[in-house]
Amino acid sequence: MAENDIYDSKGKFESFKSRLDEYLEAPMGKRKYQIKSKGNIKYFDILFRKFEARDISFIRRMRLMKNFMIINHVIKKDLKGVSRDDIDKLMAYFNNRNFSPKTKRDFVIDLKFIWKQILPEKDEKGRIDETLIPYAVRHVNGKVDRSREKLRGDRFSIDEFEKLISAFSDDVRMQALLTLALESLARPQELLYVKIKDVEVFDNYAKIWVSEHGKEGTKFLRSIDSFRYVAEWYTKHPLKRDPNAFFFITTGNRSKYEQLTPSAVNKKLREKCSLIGLRKPLTFYSLKRNGVTIRRLRGDSDVNIQHIAGWTSTKQLKTYDLSNQEDSFKLELVRRGIVKPDKKFNEFQPLNKKCIFCGFDNGLGESICANCKRPLDREIIENEMKGKEEENRRLNEKMNMMENAIGKLLVMAYKDNPSEASELAKKSWFKLVKVR
């Protein structure tokens, strides 16, 4: 039996079923679509039975219902009598809307799937043949012109992510969630269903098990770069003695200690992005896409990324990778030693900060080592070293001036009283040696 998810898709689907007759009326409020032919209600009932028989997830049911509503909004007659011309008009209506290329591809896939369920083709003996695509929709092509694809606009650099993590300095829970999402390449639902019993903390790393609601089944998430924040939140978790408590929970006065939701995370991301001046449409899912991109630019193999994400193949890389030709060109220059990896190439560096003095691994948003209290930024260290060198240089100049002045005084004194001058010279020399 399909289970509810973090987006409450089950509740949305049940609500849609209970209000199906309302969609026969003209759209009102936020509702956009209307079932133009009353006779097509029977096809919804067929789909509902097919969903139960196939045990389709509720989130996919909602996507299929949305697309089926578009079909019924455009086509004004019984679907049994639909011709290819009617389907072409439907596709023209859909293509003229501002949908993404992926949404258009998915619509064609769903269109053919729906037709196979409600109006299946039959073989020569009159039996339903699930392998055949119904003639009315067989000609529809899901390929989209690549030139129409647009960048998402939610790609960020490591410097920007560091500022974002620093902005959550008063909320280690969010620091742990965001850094773990970027490192583990996990989906929002997988992370937000993690419970206390699923977290295994070791000396300098952690394993977080996805024991339920994993799209690829059960697996574990790696926490190495994010360990500093994960371990701290694990220690501070108010319900850490309850193994069945969610690991990422709400901490506000309203709905306190309940499961954190993607909408709540997205709201906090928008607030902090506005605060630090990061004008990008970041969402919880942006972390997964950027995590894949950073790992590819860092030199991780596709197979390694597949294992980290828990995928069954490397096909998903095409969906999540945000890198482009410019990134590949810069990476090649760095590898060949033509350019040095400076701040513009932070994507190729590890996602934690190792102290060069004591070797302690610090969180990405830290500026001072938590162990030895020294600065982690190399520029700050270099500036401090330059300052000390300049201070030593000035001190040496002053010492040289003092030596010259004392030498001149001794020469003058030696002319008047050689014995006293010799004794004074010895005392002055010993004092200078002690100072140096």
Side-chain angles (χ1 to χ4, degrees):
M1 180 179 178
E3 296 181 348
N4 198 9
D5 55 30
I6 196 70
Y7 308 101
D8 191 29
S9 297
K10 182 178 181 180
K12 295 174 182 177
F13 179 71
E14 296 297 339
S15 175
F16 174 80
K17 283 180 64 177
S18 64
R19 295 184 297 107
L20 186 59
D21 290 338
E22 296 179 12
Y23 287 88
L24 291 170
E25 302 172 2
M28 294 177 61
K30 294 182 179 180
R31 185 157 59 87
K32 297 180 181 179
Y33 306 116
Q34 175 188 4
I35 301 174
K36 297 292 181 67
S37 175
K38 187 176 181 179
N40 288 337
I41 288 286
K42 60 180 178 289
Y43 298 118
F44 283 89
D45 294 330
I46 293 173
L47 284 175
F48 294 154
R49 292 196 298 271
K50 294 290 185 179
F51 292 162
E52 293 296 333
R54 289 173 169 265
D55 200 23
I56 294 175
S57 66
F58 285 105
I59 194 166
R60 182 154 185 248
R61 296 184 195 189
M62 286 306 300
R63 193 185 82 181
L64 287 166
M65 284 296 99
K66 179 182 177 181
N67 287 334
F68 197 41
M69 280 301 304
I70 296 175
I71 294 169
N72 280 276
H73 180 77
V74 176
I75 298 176
K76 301 177 182 180
K77 60 183 179 182
D78 192 304
L79 298 180
K80 190 174 183 180
V82 165
S83 65
R84 287 196 169 194
D85 288 338
D86 296 322
I87 296 297
D88 288 341
K89 291 176 183 178
L90 169 66
M91 293 307 302
Y93 173 89
F94 191 84
N95 289 331
N96 288 330
R97 297 300 181 271
N98 190 25
F99 293 117
S100 68
K102 184 180 184 304
T103 302
K104 292 179 180 179
R105 287 193 295 268
D106 291 342
F107 180 79
V108 172
I109 293 171
D110 291 345
L111 174 66
K112 293 181 177 181
F113 174 82
I114 289 170
W115 237 260
K116 285 170 70 175
Q117 307 309 312
I118 62 175
L119 297 165
E121 288 284 308
K122 296 181 179 180
D123 61 16
E124 66 277 2
K125 294 184 178 181
R127 298 171 300 188
I128 292 175
D129 189 348
E130 294 86 355
T131 63
L132 295 176
I133 299 174
Y135 177 76
V137 297
R138 194 179 300 167
H139 68 291
V140 181
N141 194 335
K143 291 184 179 180
V144 180
D145 187 356
R146 296 293 298 272
S147 65
R148 296 184 181 181
E149 293 185 1
K150 298 179 181 179
L151 293 175
R152 288 183 176 272
D154 64 346
R155 182 179 171 184
F156 53 74
S157 67
I158 289 296
D159 284 342
E160 290 171 332
F161 185 65
E162 181 180 337
K163 291 178 182 177
L164 183 62
I165 295 300
S166 298
F168 283 105
S169 58
D170 59 341
D171 191 350
V172 68
R173 170 201 55 165
M174 286 298 297
Q175 289 180 321
L177 177 61
L178 299 181
T179 53
L180 180 61
L182 186 72
E183 179 184 7
S184 66
L185 312 181
R187 295 179 178 85
Q189 179 167 260
E190 293 171 342
L191 286 168
L192 297 180
Y193 266 101
V194 169
K195 297 181 178 178
I196 295 291
K197 64 182 179 182
D198 300 324
V199 182
E200 298 179 6
V201 178
F202 299 90
D203 290 341
N204 49 13
Y205 69 94
K207 291 171 67 177
I208 293 95
W209 289 92
V210 177
S211 58
E212 56 182 305
H213 292 276
K215 191 171 183 180
E216 293 86 9
T218 58
K219 59 182 179 180
F220 73 85
L221 310 177
R222 310 178 185 187
S223 175
I224 302 173
D225 295 332
S226 59
F227 175 71
R228 148 102 169 73
Y229 300 114
V230 170
E232 186 177 351
W233 172 238
Y234 183 80
T235 304
K236 293 181 177 180
H237 198 293
L239 303 177
K240 64 181 178 181
R241 297 187 182 279
D242 181 5
N244 292 314
F246 290 109
F247 189 58
F248 295 108
I249 56 176
T250 57
T251 56
N253 294 326
R254 187 178 179 182
S255 304
K256 196 170 187 179
Y257 299 159
E258 292 186 358
Q259 184 184 27
L260 195 61
T261 61
S263 59
V265 175
N266 289 338
K267 182 180 178 182
K268 287 184 176 291
L269 283 172
R270 288 194 297 269
E271 291 173 353
K272 295 300 181 181
C273 285
S274 176
L275 181 66
I276 64 177
L278 184 57
R279 301 183 183 280
K280 294 183 179 181
L282 297 189
T283 64
F284 200 169
Y285 233 108
S286 300
L287 298 165
K288 182 180 178 71
R289 287 190 284 267
N290 280 274
V292 171
T293 304
I294 290 170
R295 285 188 176 276
R296 292 200 85 178
L297 294 177
R298 201 171 65 176
D300 291 15
S301 68
D302 291 352
V303 174
N304 186 44
I305 296 173
Q306 173 197 339
H307 292 321
I308 292 170
W311 297 330
T312 54
S313 70
T314 58
K315 290 182 179 179
Q316 291 93 329
L317 281 170
K318 185 173 68 173
T319 302
Y320 293 106
D321 185 16
L322 301 175
S323 60
N324 51 38
Q325 286 181 310
E326 180 70 13
D327 296 317
S328 177
F329 178 61
K330 289 179 181 178
L331 182 58
E332 185 69 18
L333 293 176
V334 171
R335 284 175 175 169
R336 291 174 178 265
I338 298 174
V339 297
K340 294 182 179 180
D342 55 17
K343 281 192 172 182
K344 291 184 292 184
F345 302 101
N346 279 334
E347 296 97 317
F348 315 141
Q349 307 306 316
L351 300 181
N352 59 2
K353 288 184 177 180
K354 185 180 288 292
C355 179
I356 64 174
F357 295 102
C358 66
F360 185 77
D361 285 327
N362 295 270
L364 187 64
E366 304 298 324
S367 57
I368 302 296
C369 178
N371 186 44
C372 67
K373 309 303 180 186
R374 288 173 174 165
L376 296 171
D377 194 323
R378 290 183 178 274
E379 287 189 6
I380 296 176
I381 296 171
E382 290 175 359
N383 290 336
E384 286 189 357
M385 296 295 290
K386 289 178 180 178
K388 289 180 180 179
E389 289 176 0
E390 181 65 20
E391 187 178 343
N392 290 334
R393 186 185 65 78
R394 291 177 181 176
L395 183 60
N396 286 330
E397 287 180 356
K398 290 181 180 180
M399 294 296 298
N400 291 331
M401 291 173 63
M402 289 176 61
E403 287 179 359
N404 292 333
I406 292 172
K408 291 179 181 179
L409 290 172
L410 289 174
V411 170
M412 294 173 62
Y414 188 80
K415 293 179 180 179
D416 298 333
N417 193 333
S419 59
E420 286 187 15
S422 298
E423 187 64 27
L424 181 62
K426 290 179 181 179
K427 291 180 180 180
S428 301
W429 185 80
F430 280 120
K431 286 181 179 179
L432 284 171
V433 170
K434 288 180 180 179
V435 170
R436 283 191 178 276

